[in-house]
Amino acid sequence: MGVFCPQYTSQQKQIIRSSLRGMEKISCFRFVERKSEKDYVFIVPLDGCYSYVGRIGGGQLMSLSLDCLADFIIWHEMMHAIGFEHEHQRPDRDNHLTVKYENVIPAQMVNFEKIRANEVDYPDKYDYSSLMHYDSYAFGKLDEKRKVRMATMIPKKAGVSLGDNMAFSPTDIRKLNRLGKCPSPISPLNPESGKCDSPSYKALMENYCALTCGYCKGMEKTTKLVELPKSPQKEHNIKDEVKKPKVVIEEAEKDGNDVECEDLKISCKFFVEQCQKSNFRDVLKKHCRKTCGYC
């Protein structure tokens, strides 16, 4: 269940809806706009792209600023809301990556903390191509001499590079459907969607839709769908909640001595009802101090 902040235009809302339809095509998850449900995701254009992980109860905030309105970013944040952590934060990641902590922006260290093994279960092999994996330069400090960001993660596997993963990997799809206990088969996107010829989806479609997409030698594209392999029987115990968003949000001082009593967002008028709700308090202390009376 979801709610859009009224600050989004009709076109911007449609971009988000369209992206979520893409997730529906590869899983049994369905995204509907809230009517009166108690638990829901409140999607707002704040200061970046972030979400809580899993259901925390009541309204929970997801920030999609206007520069976050791309399919792969919307999918990434919704995967967090559903319950998925970053791939590069899994307990065994040091077997696959070298994290260059000295190159990470200090306020973003939280995005590189390893998750404790007793908090989450990762039954699948490490997935460098996961939509939930950051690229090599994510949150890197700026090299003042070269004017480029410094690498924060170096893959240990030969021949692997970490770029922007802009599509669901086969493992992402398998995990999503396992978590949702989706019936088998879940059909991949149909050939009319254009994904057969998309570079971003080529590996996925070659693996699961070779016949449909005409990748088999001497075959033309067909409308016959190929079944995805059945998911392993082992349950994927994604933890249900996390107590902090995926980016660090610094709280304003309540006494107002060090911070001017001003709102940072013109959209604060839309958040009056959320000012005192615990799930929104940390974010609104930063962005809507005046409207919410935090000065």
Side-chain angles (χ1 to χ4, degrees):
M1 309 298 175
V3 175
F4 290 114
C5 173
Q7 190 179 1
Y8 286 118
T9 66
S10 297
Q11 183 180 20
Q12 290 160 354
K13 291 178 184 178
Q14 189 54 39
I15 290 172
I16 299 172
R17 291 189 187 103
S18 178
S19 293
L20 297 180
R21 296 294 85 80
M23 289 187 71
E24 291 181 347
K25 290 178 180 178
I26 59 167
S27 73
C28 61
F29 283 89
R30 296 296 177 262
F31 303 95
V32 298
E33 293 182 40
R34 180 186 183 235
K35 294 180 180 178
S36 59
E37 292 80 7
K38 178 182 177 182
D39 297 341
Y40 61 94
V41 177
F42 191 22
I43 305 175
V44 297
L46 289 178
D47 61 342
C49 324
Y50 51 88
S51 171
Y52 287 92
V53 176
R55 178 184 292 184
I56 64 173
Q60 63 187 72
L61 186 144
M62 175 189 293
S63 175
L64 292 174
S65 60
L66 300 189
D67 56 354
C68 301
L69 298 186
D71 283 347
F72 72 102
I73 298 176
I74 295 169
W75 294 336
H76 180 103
E77 299 309 333
M78 190 54 71
M79 287 284 278
H80 278 317
I82 289 172
F84 288 94
E85 293 278 8
H86 289 136
E87 185 74 4
H88 59 273
Q89 290 183 271
R90 54 189 283 171
D92 64 343
R93 70 98 186 275
D94 290 338
N95 297 330
H96 308 278
L97 290 175
T98 298
V99 177
K100 308 287 285 186
Y101 291 104
E102 66 274 19
N103 293 344
V104 177
I105 297 171
Q108 299 299 338
M109 284 290 187
V110 64
N111 288 294
F112 298 88
E113 294 175 353
K114 284 193 296 184
I115 303 165
R116 291 189 294 270
N118 64 343
E119 291 182 326
V120 67
D121 181 20
Y122 282 90
D124 302 279
K125 292 182 179 179
Y126 195 88
D127 187 10
Y128 290 106
S129 61
S130 172
L131 190 70
M132 304 307 291
H133 203 304
Y134 282 175
D135 67 83
S136 284
Y137 299 91
F139 295 118
K141 296 176 183 176
L142 183 65
D143 184 324
E144 295 294 345
K145 291 183 178 179
R146 297 186 298 152
K147 301 300 180 183
V148 295
R149 292 205 176 275
M150 294 185 279
T152 53
M153 292 183 290
I154 309 297
K156 291 184 176 181
K157 186 175 181 179
V160 171
S161 61
L162 296 176
D164 283 327
N165 294 332
M166 302 176 70
F168 291 98
S169 72
T171 301
D172 286 333
I173 294 175
R174 183 167 60 249
K175 291 193 293 188
L176 185 62
N177 284 289
R178 181 166 62 230
L179 181 65
K181 296 181 171 59
C182 300
S184 182
I186 295 296
S187 298
L189 304 177
N190 61 50
E192 286 76 20
S193 68
K195 297 299 186 292
C196 288
D197 301 316
S198 169
S200 298
Y201 285 84
K202 190 173 188 297
L204 171 65
M205 304 307 271
E206 282 183 338
N207 279 338
Y208 294 136
C209 306
L211 181 61
T212 298
C213 291
Y215 289 131
C216 303
K217 187 175 181 180
M219 289 188 177
E220 299 295 329
K221 291 183 182 178
T222 175
T223 56
K224 182 179 179 181
L225 295 174
V226 180
E227 291 188 7
L228 288 175
K230 292 183 178 180
S231 300
Q233 295 301 309
K234 185 177 180 182
E235 290 293 333
H236 194 182
N237 298 318
I238 297 292
K239 69 178 181 179
D240 292 326
E241 65 180 71
V242 69
K243 298 186 182 299
K244 57 195 174 193
K246 301 311 293 183
V247 298
V248 173
I249 299 174
E250 298 176 353
E251 294 187 10
E253 294 294 330
K254 193 168 184 177
D255 60 15
N257 292 333
D258 299 322
V259 182
E260 292 183 8
C261 188
E262 296 292 340
D263 291 335
L264 301 183
K265 295 288 181 179
I266 61 173
S267 57
C268 288
K269 61 184 179 181
F270 299 121
F271 298 104
V272 174
E273 294 182 0
Q274 280 77 36
C275 285
Q276 301 305 320
K277 293 182 179 179
S278 60
N279 292 350
F280 295 84
R281 191 173 297 133
D282 289 347
V283 175
L284 296 182
K285 277 184 178 180
K286 176 181 178 181
H287 295 286
C288 302
R289 292 186 291 273
K290 184 175 181 179
T291 294
C292 290
Y294 286 123
C295 302

